[in-house]
Each structure stands twice: as structure tokens, then as C-alpha cells.
Amino acid sequence: MTSGGGAAQIEAELHESYEIVGGAATAGLLLLCDHASNALPDEYGTLGLPASELERHIAYDIGAADMTRHLAKALGVPAVLTRFSRLLIDPNRGEDDPTLIMRLSDGAIIPGNRHLDAAEREKRIARFYRPYHDAIRRTIFRCAAGGRMPALLGMHSFTDVWKGTPRPWHAGVLWEHDERLAMPLLAALRAEADLVVGENEPYPGQYEGDTLWQHGTMPGRAFAAIEVRQDLIRDADGQQAWGERLARILSRILGRPGMVERFAMRSGRQCAGPVT
Ligand SMILES: [Zn+2]
């Protein structure tokens, strides 16, 4: 990272657990892609699944990684992406969440997770889960040290059909507690004439312990998540088109007078007593 002159830069970094895409520390935005990869370390094989299962949404968010890269590049902002499958361990859960390591996902039993003992669970947390979250924390602190607290944007994708029912939304914005990024993003997406946009669809705004709860809600940072339907970003053209569409929308939002300054910390929820 360079210092001074307002040119602080987050450097690219590659780790077994995560990848950091470099970008301007002071851009006011950090992208987080929890379900970027369907990769499994060699010693885990396919977790006992047919290889075809690893190509499905149960292993990762189809299209999300390259959409994130296009968006990061177009805006010049940093991004943190995972390099392991959510089937190994889901980074978008609290460490004590019973679905942290899934034994069953959308009808598929995951043999490699069926008889998981405490030691194996701790091993996956230490090797994959924590380094990813530590990388997010470190990147946020570097951005803040550059003079600007970034808003966090979670980048996800969802299946076009769920349990036999087609989903109508092209994209959804998930949010809770903090409107600073979520409301302008939702309004801007809704202003796109060709889109059906969900608010806290197809998922609720937040689960206790998830990535944006850990790094957004609890410390009091601005955040939102975007979910894009997988049939729209399944191929390279779609990933690029959506990355560029979101870049156009977000550059306008970030460029509004006073907008990025509003992302300065607000009091978090740690002192508000236990979250129920
Ligand atoms: Zn996801």
C-alpha cells in the first residue's frame, strides 16, 4: 500500500482461502464475494459428490465471481473473494451456525460432511473460514487508514428456479439496519426500466452471524448485498454486462455530493445488548 497523496491502494493478494482484487483504498466501496468458487482442496476430492454436483448452485454462486471482477475493475475498487466452495464451509454463516458445514443441500446429501467431528470442523474454520474474514477485516482497516471507511457490498447470485417455482426478480437488494448504501442502490436498480427488482428477495436482509452482519451491522458500517439471478450471469457476456451495469449505477451513487462521507462509521450494535 502506498501512503499519502490520496492515492492509497489495496494491493492484490492470493491465498489458499481468499483472493484480494486490488483497487483504490479511498473509493468508498469494498466488494465481498462469499461464494465465488466451487474449488475443493485435493485431499477433499469431491466430498463424495458426483463431479456434476460441483457445477450446481449448491457449490457456489454461479457467475458472481466474474461479475464482481468486472465491477471492481470498472470502478477501480478492491474486492475480497473466496477460493473455496461453500460445501466445504460456508463463509456467510456465523462460526456457531448449524448450517456452517452442510450435510444436505437442495436435495443432495454431502457424503464428505456427514460424519464431521469437532476437530475437522475446527480445521476447516482455521484454514478457510477465518483467513477469509481476516482478509476482509484487514482490507477494511487499510481502506480506513487511507482516509475513507468503505461501504461493503456483498455480491451473490440466486437460482432462477427454486423448488419448481421460477423466481420473477432479475436482481434483489438485501439489507437491514443500515440504509446508507442499500436505499440508493435499490432506487437506482428500480429506475432501470428492464428490471424486476426485489427488496429483501429472494432472501431476508440478514442472518445473525453472516458476513455483512459481522463486518457491517455489528461495527456500524454501511452495507448492502446484491443478488443477481443466475441465468443472467451464467455466461461471460452476462457477467460482463452485469458488472458494467452495476458499475454505471454505483459510480453515480458514489459520485453524489457527500455520499461517501456518509459511510463514516456510525455506532454499531455491540453495545445494544444481545441480538435476538
Ligand atoms: Zn451467495
Side-chain angles (χ1 to χ4, degrees):
M1 191 172 102
T2 57
S3 60
Q9 187 74 10
I10 302 298
E11 300 294 343
E13 194 182 322
L14 208 55
H15 179 274
E16 180 184 38
S17 157
Y18 63 84
E19 173 186 356
I20 297 175
V21 172
T26 53
L29 188 68
L30 173 63
L31 309 178
L32 305 177
C33 193
D34 290 335
H35 301 136
S37 173
N38 60 352
L40 291 166
D42 285 347
E43 67 265 40
Y44 288 94
T46 62
L47 287 171
L49 291 165
S52 59
E53 291 289 299
L54 300 181
E55 302 302 321
R56 295 183 56 214
H57 71 94
I58 61 170
Y60 70 130
D61 281 2
I62 292 164
D66 280 345
M67 174 175 70
T68 300
R69 289 180 216 284
H70 283 296
L71 175 57
K73 188 174 173 197
L75 287 179
V77 303
V80 188
L81 299 83
T82 51
R83 299 188 68 212
F84 58 90
S85 170
R86 75 204 304 177
L87 293 175
L88 192 65
I89 187 165
D90 191 337
N92 196 26
R93 297 285 185 274
E95 278 192 26
D96 55 359
D97 192 298
T99 62
L100 180 68
I101 299 173
M102 299 285 276
R103 287 163 174 77
L104 187 72
S105 181
D106 193 17
I109 291 169
I110 302 148
N113 291 348
R114 269 181 95 182
H115 304 292
L116 200 77
D117 61 17
E120 174 59 24
R121 182 186 162 89
E122 183 53 36
K123 186 174 141 191
R124 293 190 198 180
I125 288 174
R127 184 170 159 193
F128 298 98
Y129 181 98
R130 283 192 195 128
Y132 172 63
H133 285 286
D134 287 346
I136 294 173
R137 237 169 258 122
R138 215 168 53 240
T139 307
I140 291 169
F141 288 142
R142 283 179 186 159
C143 289
R148 218 158 231 173
M149 182 57 68
L152 311 177
L153 181 60
M155 304 288 295
H156 294 268
S157 69
F158 62 94
T159 54
D160 32 310
V161 177
W162 182 246
K163 297 192 190 301
T165 306
R167 283 162 152 170
W169 316 280
H170 297 94
V173 174
L174 313 186
W175 75 286
E176 210 173 297
H177 307 304
D178 196 303
E179 77 299 338
R180 286 174 287 180
L181 175 63
M183 285 300 105
L185 180 58
L186 189 58
L189 281 165
R190 283 180 166 159
E192 303 270 297
D194 57 333
L195 298 184
V196 178
V197 180
E199 178 176 357
N200 290 335
E201 299 283 3
Y203 305 110
Q206 190 154 71
Y207 292 101
E208 184 177 329
D210 72 18
T211 295
L212 290 170
W213 186 90
Q214 288 186 42
H215 301 288
T217 297
M218 292 307 279
R221 298 186 186 109
F223 70 90
I226 183 153
E227 295 268 357
V228 177
R229 208 174 63 201
Q230 285 171 2
D231 59 307
L232 304 173
I233 53 171
R234 196 173 288 280
D235 63 25
D237 287 349
Q239 292 151 12
Q240 181 172 354
W242 268 87
E244 288 173 358
R245 184 196 282 257
L246 293 175
R248 169 171 55 77
I249 287 171
L250 282 159
S251 67
R252 267 195 228 135
I253 292 173
L254 296 173
R256 288 180 200 163
M259 177 58 73
V260 171
E261 288 73 15
R262 293 182 65 213
F263 298 154
M265 296 273 273
R266 122 187 330 180
S267 61
R269 291 170 69 84
Q270 283 124 323
C271 301
V275 176
T276 53

